[in-house]
């Protein structure tokens, strides 16, 4: 619903010159009484970084000229919403009170809330002196308290501290020194925030004495220092971890840059159903290049008397993952034990194919590993294709396995044509295991397996 009234007249029109220019500089006498959606007025300003919606009430008297209006009046609202498509900011239930003086709107106070119980408040000014060629000038001082102000492209942050937004109507700066209470970063998903698209337009049918409006689009710059003693969640690529961080956000909304570093607090790394404890972690950001930090992460685990280590290094967009063990084993042997729970000499032909795909993928060979991708998606520790066995009447089928603790392993084998078997392994020691099996053809067996590496 829009309720408004605008009365205006040109009190005196200068002689000579183009009509459009004469209207711009002619003396103005106007009254504005408006009660309705704020977006109907705000979007005329074409401010890319922010969008304003909700009810607003304006009462103003305007003098001066169209080019340089002189306004006296007031503005108020109790339920505005401020959103940014660039940063994902969403502030709701904003109350605001302001007064017009000349071409400037002074906001005595505004306050709103963000998702998760956060809040923002502040004051500032909006300069309307040059709306003919640019947007409104902004100078806003904001106090954030546990406010979720960043939620985009796999990156989110909840902060407390002072922020300032300054703009001349084209270019702008978002500055602040904040403390991060919670944040998350999805490795492999976070990407540079793209600027809003520019659509090429051309005004047609303009009067001969009216110049086209300027449509230049400025840059919004970042100048933010952020400190997070803990609470920064880094996930993806097998990581589930918490970090501390001290970073600098620079660059622009079209090309954000991050400097500083993050240090590991705690976490795990999961590979092929095996969980490794993170024992070392460092992420270093370079603000001179697009966001793609260097990783230095070490994760360790012990299985069956062997200590395994996983190192994640290189750039986040294309990390290098290497495996080692004590006692020392070849990488293929390490992967065989992690993927299939046994030595490489015990692998079937299908297991060997999966192992080769995994090794190629880790070495950047681009090998596809659909079976392991499916195993991860359905949450199994092991998924493999088994060949037919004429002795038992089993056709080619699949085996689905799950570890029950560190010692027990249960696997179901089926060929989809009536044959099903359940196999159980209990590891007594690193070299001694008890095996049990029962199938639909009535065969039951119990055996002992002894293995030793030399």
């Amino acid at each position: 619903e829009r309720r408004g009234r605008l009365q205006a007249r040109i009190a005196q029109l200068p002689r000579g010159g183009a009509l459009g220019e004469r209207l711009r500089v002619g003396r103005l006498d106007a009254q504005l009484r408006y009660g309705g959606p704020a977006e109907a007025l705000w979007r005329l300003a074409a401010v890319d970084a922010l969008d304003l919606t909700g009810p607003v009430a304006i009462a103003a008297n305007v003098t001066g000229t169209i080019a340089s209006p002189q306004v006296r009046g007031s503005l108020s609202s109790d339920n505005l919403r401020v959103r940014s498509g660039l940063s994902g900011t969403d502030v709701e239930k904003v109350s605001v009170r302001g007064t017009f003086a000349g071409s400037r709107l002074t906001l005595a106070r505004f306050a709103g809330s963000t998702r998760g119980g956060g809040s923002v408040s502040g004051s500032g000014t909006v300069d309307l002196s040059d709306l003919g060629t640019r947007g409104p000038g902004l100078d806003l001082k904001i106090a954030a308290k546990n406010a979720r102000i960043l939620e985009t492209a796999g990156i989110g942050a909840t902060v407390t501290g002072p922020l300032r937004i300054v703009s001349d109507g084209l270019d702008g700066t978002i500055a602040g020194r904040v403390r991060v209470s919670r944040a998350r970063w999805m490795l492999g998903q976070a990407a540079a925030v793209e600027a809003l698209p520019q659509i090429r337009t051309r005004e047609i049918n303009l009067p001969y004495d009216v110049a086209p409006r300027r449509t230049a689009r400025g840059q919004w710059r970042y100048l933010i220092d952020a400190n997070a003693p803990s609470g920064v969640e880094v996930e993806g690529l097998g990581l589930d971890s918490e970090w501390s961080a001290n970073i600098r956000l620079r660059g622009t909304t079209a090309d954000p840059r991050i400097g500083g570093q993050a240090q590991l607090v705690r976490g795990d790394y999961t590979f092929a159903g095996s969980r490794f404890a993170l024992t070392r972690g460092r992420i270093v950001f370079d603000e001179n290049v697009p966001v793609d930090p260097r990783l230095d992460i070490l994760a360790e685990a012990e299985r069956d008397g062997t200590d395994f280590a996983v190192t994640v290094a290189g750039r986040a967009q294309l990390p290098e993952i290497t495996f080692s063990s004590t006692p020392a084993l070849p990488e293929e042997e390490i992967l065989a034990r992690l993927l299939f729970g046994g030595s490489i000499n015990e692998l079937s032909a299908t297991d060997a194919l999966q192992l080769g795909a995994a090794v190629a993928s880790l070495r950047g060979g681009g090998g596809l590993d659909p079976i392991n991708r499916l195993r991860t998606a359905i949450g199994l520790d092991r998924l493999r294709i088994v060949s037919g066995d004429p002795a038992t009447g089993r056709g080619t089928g699949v085996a689905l396995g799950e570890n029950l603790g560190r010692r027990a392993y249960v696997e179901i084998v089926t060929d989809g044509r009536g044959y099903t078997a359940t196999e159980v392994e209990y590891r007594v020691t690193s070299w001694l295991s008890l095996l049990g099996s029962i199938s639909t053809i009535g065969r039951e067996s119990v055996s002992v397996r002894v293995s030793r590496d030399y």
Side-chain angles (χ1 to χ4, degrees):
E1 182 183 358
R2 302 181 184 181
R3 305 185 308 276
R5 182 177 76 252
L6 174 63
Q7 296 179 341
R9 66 187 179 90
I10 302 297
Q12 182 178 347
L13 192 65
R15 297 180 180 179
L19 177 60
E21 182 61 26
R22 292 166 63 196
L23 287 174
R24 281 174 48 82
V25 298
R27 286 178 52 191
L28 179 66
D29 184 8
Q31 288 185 337
L32 173 63
R33 302 294 184 266
Y34 179 82
E39 56 268 33
L41 300 178
W42 176 258
R43 290 172 185 170
L44 294 176
V47 178
D48 297 333
L50 299 172
D51 190 30
L52 195 65
T53 59
V56 66
I58 300 175
N61 297 323
V62 186
T63 58
T65 66
I66 294 178
S68 181
Q70 303 297 309
V71 187
R72 294 288 186 274
S74 64
L75 174 148
S76 64
S77 178
D78 292 308
N79 193 22
L80 289 177
R81 187 176 186 181
V82 181
R83 287 177 288 183
S84 171
L86 295 175
S87 64
T89 305
D90 190 353
V91 185
E92 301 178 303
K93 299 178 181 178
V94 178
S95 63
V96 60
R97 296 293 184 272
T99 58
F100 293 98
S103 60
R104 176 168 297 189
L105 169 63
T106 299
L107 303 177
R109 174 176 168 79
F110 57 84
S113 60
T114 64
R115 287 174 293 174
S119 64
V120 296
S121 60
S123 60
T125 60
V126 180
D127 189 352
L128 309 173
S129 62
D130 197 10
L131 293 182
T133 56
R134 59 181 66 208
L138 301 175
D139 189 353
L140 305 178
K141 297 178 181 178
I142 302 171
K145 183 177 181 181
N146 292 324
R148 190 180 300 181
I149 64 168
L150 183 62
E151 191 71 38
T152 181
I155 303 175
T158 300
V159 307
T160 297
L163 293 165
R164 190 171 182 181
I165 300 176
V166 179
S167 174
D168 62 2
L170 286 178
D171 300 319
T173 299
I174 304 173
R177 188 181 298 274
V178 298
R179 178 186 177 96
V180 180
S181 53
R182 293 186 304 277
R184 65 176 181 85
W185 180 33
M186 295 297 296
L187 286 174
Q189 295 184 21
V193 180
E194 295 184 0
L196 294 179
Q198 291 196 42
I199 301 176
R200 296 180 62 88
T201 61
R202 181 174 60 89
E203 291 190 63
I204 62 174
N205 298 327
L206 285 172
Y208 73 93
D209 56 351
V210 176
R213 290 176 293 178
R214 183 179 176 185
T215 58
R217 190 186 303 269
Q219 290 278 0
W220 281 81
R221 297 178 297 274
Y222 289 119
L223 187 60
I224 296 177
D225 294 341
N227 178 49
S230 61
V232 179
E233 299 176 1
V234 179
E235 300 177 350
L237 300 179
L239 283 176
D240 182 6
S241 56
E242 179 184 355
W243 300 68
S244 64
N246 196 333
I247 63 173
R248 303 176 301 277
L249 178 58
R250 300 293 188 265
T252 68
T253 51
D255 183 21
R257 303 295 178 95
I258 297 179
Q261 61 180 294
Q263 298 284 347
L264 175 69
V265 175
R266 59 181 176 83
D268 298 313
Y269 174 73
T270 301
F271 177 80
S274 298
R275 177 167 294 182
F276 295 76
L278 295 179
T279 56
R280 184 183 76 226
R282 188 170 179 237
I283 302 176
V284 179
F285 298 87
D286 183 356
E287 64 190 78
N288 297 313
V289 298
V291 181
D292 188 15
R294 286 195 170 276
L295 308 178
D296 180 15
I297 300 171
L298 175 65
E300 298 176 311
E302 186 274 335
R303 176 184 287 185
D304 299 332
T306 302
D307 294 323
F308 296 96
V310 184
T311 301
V312 183
R315 295 290 184 181
Q317 297 297 327
L318 190 62
E320 300 173 3
I321 304 175
T322 57
F323 294 84
S324 60
S325 66
T326 304
L329 296 171
E331 189 175 60
E332 290 82 357
E333 178 69 21
I334 295 173
L335 289 174
R337 297 191 182 195
L338 293 176
L339 287 169
F340 307 106
S343 172
I344 193 172
N345 297 321
E346 302 172 358
L347 299 185
S348 66
T350 53
D351 287 343
L353 288 174
Q354 295 179 57
L355 177 61
V359 173
S361 178
L362 289 171
R363 292 178 178 173
L368 297 178
D369 192 4
I371 295 178
N372 201 40
R373 288 176 182 267
L374 176 61
R375 177 198 62 75
T376 303
I378 61 181
L380 293 174
D381 289 330
R382 190 178 184 189
L383 174 63
R384 60 193 180 97
I385 299 174
V386 295
S387 56
D389 184 359
T392 61
R394 182 189 72 202
T396 301
V398 296
L400 303 89
E402 184 77 17
N403 289 310
L404 304 178
R406 298 183 59 184
R407 294 184 179 274
Y409 173 76
V410 177
E411 186 173 75
I412 298 176
V413 182
T414 179
D415 63 0
R417 295 187 294 273
Y419 176 88
T420 301
T422 301
E423 300 178 354
V424 179
E425 176 183 355
Y426 182 79
R427 305 180 186 95
V428 181
T429 68
S430 61
W431 55 273
L432 177 64
S433 298
L434 298 178
L435 306 176
S437 175
I438 182 171
S439 69
T440 53
I441 62 174
R443 291 192 176 185
E444 301 177 6
S445 66
V446 177
S447 61
V448 176
R449 183 172 70 186
V450 178
S451 60
R452 175 70 71 177
D453 294 321
Y454 298 95

